């Protein structure tokens, strides 16, 4: 188990964290009890796939052999986890490009996607539990005729469409059964933002060339780690205690350039899970060192309403030495380490609370550990605050108004 948590720089006394560990343990017990709704993701990595993993891997092989482009139509949890992993992780050479559509309503983005789909052999994957989300349905209805034009008929197009949706109900399930699409299911007891380790995340990852077996093994290792009875829950406890002490914002600082889209996934995970009833830390993400040159001044001397969480990958994939100039002979990794320590030192001098999360390297196994760790931390944090981590009643308000206007 390679994820390590350092709460020494939060300003929270160790005895206060220790005092909260029994409550965090109770939240963890609730997650594993099987009695809480929408907690199917908790046990999933530790043996919950059965034959479905082989089916996903075989389907990915078919896609890679028959297509030049894999278009994933989805929004929110139906695409963020897969896209973040694809941008973060190394791939097998056998992978093919994965393009995401249906996550915005930008006309120019659609135009560029349409042109690419017309040029390349394409297989389409639509991901939605309901099949009625406006952005997803819009993109799906635009792309289907493109496949029919290229392959001669709607029947031939249907052979190149994969639906990942609810096992039994919803508009997309009905269409998949009627048209004969290849289909996979998102378990009913797993919500979108916790679905990264279901077929919704795993199939696009596998098509891109990511080693999903190793990723799932890492997630299982994290799920079964005995350290949840000790320090692993301390990040959740620190977030809870700092919010109780008046912090309103969490800057999650990603100290690796390939983790930028992980930040998008984190913002949904924590924002939708905790932002209810006037509660929850506002999650926002920065990429270091880039964003130090835009937000560094605010972090150093702005309103002290925030905590910082630094996610650090300790071991570089290669060593690159600066050949000349003021930093001659130093590696980029050494300079990066000095940057991270400099930020921590300067910000702690201002009294800013900082949590450090360290992973050894950015590979599939440790990334799987990280995903499961963040999901569990988010759920525990919300439960400590008396918030249900698994619903999102506020999201439905804008959807209802949008449908009224469109109707």
């Amino acid at each position: 188990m390679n994820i390590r948590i350092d709460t020494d720089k939060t300003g929270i006394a160790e005895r206060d964290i220790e005092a909260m560990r029994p409550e965090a343990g109770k939240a963890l017990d609730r997650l594993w009890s099987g009695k809480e709704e929408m907690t199917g993701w908790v046990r999933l990595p530790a043996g919950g796939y059965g034959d479905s993993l082989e089916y996903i891997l075989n389907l990915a092989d078919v896609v890679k052999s028959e297509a030049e482009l894999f278009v994933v139509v989805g929004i929110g949890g139906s695409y963020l986890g897969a896209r973040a992993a694809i941008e973060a992780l190394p791939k097998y050479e056998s992978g093919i490009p994965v393009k995401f559509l249906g996550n915005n309503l930008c006309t120019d983005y659609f135009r560029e996607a349409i042109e690419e789909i017309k040029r390349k052999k394409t297989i389409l994957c639509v991901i939605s539990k309901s099949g009625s989300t406006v952005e997803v349905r819009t993109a799906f209805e635009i792309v289907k005729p493109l496949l029919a034009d290229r392959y001669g008929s709607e029947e031939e197009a249907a052979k190149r469409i994969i639906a990942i949706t609810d096992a039994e109900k919803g508009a997309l399930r009905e269409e998949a059964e009627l048209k004969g699409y290849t289909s996979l299911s998102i378990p009913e007891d797993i919500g979108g933002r916790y679905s990264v380790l279901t077929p919704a995340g795993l199939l696009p990852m596998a098509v891109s060339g990511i080693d999903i077996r190793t990723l799932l093994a890492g997630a299982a290792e994290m799920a079964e780690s005995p350290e949840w009875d000790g320090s692993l829950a301390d990040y959740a406890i620190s977030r809870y205690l700092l919010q109780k002490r008046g912090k309103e914002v969490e800057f999650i600082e990603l100290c690796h350039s390939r983790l930028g889209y992980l930040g998008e996934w984190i913002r949904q995970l924590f924002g939708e899970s905790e932002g209810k009833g006037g509660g929850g830390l506002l999650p926002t993400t920065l990429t270091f060192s880039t964003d130090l040159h835009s937000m560094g001044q605010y972090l150093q001397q702005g309103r002290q309403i925030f905590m910082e969480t630094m996610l650090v990958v300790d071991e570089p994939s290669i060593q690159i030495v600066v050949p000349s100039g003021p930093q001659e002979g130093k590696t980029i990794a050494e300079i990066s380490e000095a940057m991270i320590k400099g930020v921590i030192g300067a910000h702690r001098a201002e009294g800013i609370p900082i949590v450090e999360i360290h992973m050894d390297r950015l590979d599939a196994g440790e990334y799987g550990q990280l995903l499961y760790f963040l999901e569990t931390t988010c759920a525990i944090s919300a439960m400590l605050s008396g918030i249900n981590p698994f619903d999102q009643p506020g999201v439905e308000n804008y959807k209802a108004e949008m449908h009224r206007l469109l109707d």
Side-chain angles (χ1 to χ4, degrees):
M1 217 284 301
N2 304 99
I3 306 297
R4 300 176 302 283
I5 315 303
D6 182 350
T7 59
D8 290 345
K9 303 173 187 68
T10 58
I12 303 171
E14 177 64 22
R15 63 179 179 275
D16 293 336
I17 290 178
E18 288 181 356
M20 285 297 301
R21 283 177 179 163
E23 289 303 311
K26 291 178 183 178
L28 194 63
D29 289 343
R30 286 173 57 193
L31 292 177
W32 280 86
S33 69
K35 299 177 182 179
E36 299 285 333
E37 293 185 353
M38 306 306 288
T39 55
W41 58 273
V42 176
R43 296 177 181 271
L44 193 59
Y49 293 96
D51 296 335
S52 63
L53 180 57
E54 291 302 321
Y55 183 80
I56 292 169
L57 288 166
N58 291 335
L59 181 57
D61 286 340
V62 171
V63 171
K64 290 184 285 186
S65 68
E66 296 184 358
E68 300 170 296
L69 178 68
F70 190 57
V71 174
V72 175
V73 176
I75 196 167
S78 295
Y79 95 103
L80 281 171
R83 183 166 182 177
I86 289 169
E87 295 199 6
L89 293 176
K91 321 289 190 299
Y92 291 127
E93 292 183 3
S94 62
I96 65 171
V98 178
K99 189 174 188 67
F100 293 90
L101 198 62
N103 52 77
N104 65 63
L105 294 171
C106 175
T107 302
D108 285 340
Y109 187 77
F110 271 90
R111 174 180 57 79
E112 293 166 3
I114 289 168
E115 291 172 356
E116 188 172 6
I117 292 166
K118 287 180 176 179
R119 293 194 311 268
K120 296 180 177 179
K121 292 187 293 183
T122 299
I123 289 179
L124 173 65
C125 178
V126 57
I127 305 175
S128 173
K129 262 196 164 182
S130 67
S132 59
T133 305
V134 169
E135 295 91 338
V136 174
R137 198 76 219 185
T138 299
F140 189 34
E141 298 298 340
I142 288 171
V143 175
K144 281 192 294 184
L146 301 178
L147 296 183
D149 289 344
R150 181 174 182 114
Y151 299 104
S153 67
E154 289 186 8
E155 290 75 17
E156 287 300 312
K159 297 175 183 178
R160 304 181 72 83
I161 295 175
I162 300 168
I164 302 178
T165 186
D166 190 272
E168 297 180 357
K169 61 182 183 295
L172 183 54
R173 171 52 62 190
E174 292 177 8
E175 181 173 339
E177 299 294 337
L178 180 65
K179 301 290 187 180
Y181 302 153
T182 298
S183 67
L184 300 96
S185 299
I186 302 171
E188 186 176 3
D189 58 352
I190 300 178
R193 60 186 175 276
Y194 290 87
S195 68
V196 63
L197 298 177
T198 74
L202 295 176
L203 180 62
M205 291 183 210
V207 169
S208 78
I210 289 172
D211 179 1
I212 63 169
R213 285 187 188 278
T214 300
L215 183 138
L216 290 173
E221 188 175 2
M222 176 59 71
E224 297 169 339
S225 172
E227 293 182 43
W228 283 110
D229 291 329
S231 62
L232 274 179
D234 288 355
Y235 176 35
I237 292 169
S238 297
R239 297 180 77 254
Y240 168 75
L241 291 175
L242 288 169
Q243 186 178 184
K244 295 284 284 185
R245 297 179 185 188
K247 298 303 180 184
E248 300 174 9
V249 176
E250 180 178 17
F251 282 106
I252 301 164
E253 297 152 355
L254 308 164
C255 300
H256 196 295
S257 64
R258 294 213 313 262
L259 292 177
Y261 229 88
L262 177 69
E264 299 296 311
W265 178 79
I266 288 172
R267 289 197 303 128
Q268 185 200 11
L269 177 67
F270 283 87
E272 273 196 352
S273 295
E274 294 188 307
K276 301 156 198 174
L281 289 163
L282 172 65
T284 187
T285 58
L286 302 172
T287 302
F288 282 0
S289 65
T290 302
D291 289 334
L292 284 171
H293 296 265
S294 57
M295 288 294 292
Q297 174 60 42
Y298 185 90
L299 292 173
Q300 190 70 44
Q301 296 180 327
R303 290 180 62 207
Q304 291 300 306
I305 58 173
F306 61 89
M307 63 171 289
E308 295 180 68
T309 298
M310 299 187 77
L311 176 55
V312 183
V313 180
D314 290 328
E315 299 176 10
S317 57
I318 60 171
Q319 293 288 359
I320 298 177
V321 179
V322 181
S324 59
Q327 309 305 329
E328 180 178 353
K330 292 184 173 64
T331 66
I332 292 177
E334 288 172 331
I335 298 169
S336 176
E337 183 180 3
M339 175 273 295
I340 292 167
K341 290 181 177 179
V343 168
I344 291 172
H347 291 190
R348 283 301 299 140
E350 295 290 335
I352 301 168
I354 300 172
V355 175
E356 295 176 61
I357 303 172
H358 289 262
M359 52 196 301
D360 288 339
R361 61 192 67 85
L362 191 53
D363 61 18
E366 292 204 22
Y367 194 81
Q369 290 184 16
L370 180 66
L371 291 176
Y372 193 91
F373 166 76
L374 290 170
E375 288 180 327
T376 305
T377 292
C378 180
I380 292 174
S381 295
M383 287 177 165
L384 290 176
S385 298
I387 294 170
N388 179 356
F390 307 118
D391 64 357
Q392 53 278 341
V395 174
E396 305 308 318
N397 295 349
Y398 94 84
K399 290 182 180 179
E401 181 65 11
M402 178 170 62
H403 280 290
R404 185 188 68 79
L405 293 168
L406 290 171
D407 291 342

